[in-house]
Amino acid sequence: MLGRLNHVAIAVADAEKAAKIYGTAFGAEISATVPLPEHGVITVFATLPNTKIEFIQPLGADSPIAKFVERNPDGGIHHICYEVPDIIAARDNLIKEGARVLGDGQPKIGAHGKPVLFLHPKDFSGALVEIEQASEIEQS
Ligand code: CO
């Protein structure tokens, strides 16, 4: 089941600078700047009433977004993140329906401390999709 839109991610050369105008001009709540070395990014979030904007900046030489920012020096929309109630069930169903899961297919812990997976843009109308576990899986 497809849940809420958790965030839209914008990749930029300087995440803090990019987020700033959302705070000053829109009055949005801006998070602290958080480096995520295991994901190769630095993140800043702008919190909106119904979702978040995630600004991501390359971190380290082999950051997965380094090439994207190189190609888009002014920044650009990088991915959209949907919540799913059970990430393993969602993954298995996506694979069954022919969608490609990126990496080794094992969820990694994302920016919110919850398991995430990325899906191939070619299977989703050219948009890179991230799915995030909405909350703890209830054991039945
Ligand atoms: Co994200």
Side-chain angles (χ1 to χ4, degrees), residues 41-59:
V41 295
I42 293 169
T43 62
V44 181
F45 284 92
T47 302
L48 283 56
N50 65 338
T51 190
K52 293 182 279 288
I53 307 297
E54 174 187 43
F55 297 93
I56 45 178
Q57 170 187 338
L59 173 63

Side-chain angles (χ1 to χ4, degrees), residues 120-138:
H120 203 297
K122 287 202 170 156
D123 299 327
F124 292 91
S125 315
L128 177 61
V129 170
E130 177 181 20
I131 55 173
E132 180 178 294
Q133 175 78 45
S135 57
E136 290 305 308
I137 302 168
E138 282 174 39

Side-chain angles (χ1 to χ4, degrees), residues 47-102:
T47 302
L48 283 56
N50 65 338
T51 190
K52 293 182 279 288
I53 307 297
E54 174 187 43
F55 297 93
I56 45 178
Q57 170 187 338
L59 173 63
D62 40 50
S63 169
I65 64 164
K67 280 209 172 69
F68 182 93
V69 173
E70 223 172 88
R71 282 197 306 271
N72 303 275
D74 297 322
I77 294 179
H78 184 263
H79 66 266
I80 48 182
C81 177
Y82 305 121
E83 294 178 5
V84 292
D86 179 340
I87 198 165
I88 299 299
R91 176 198 65 190
D92 293 348
N93 204 50
L94 284 156
I95 291 170
K96 198 182 84 192
E97 294 299 326
R100 285 163 284 183
V101 176
L102 300 184

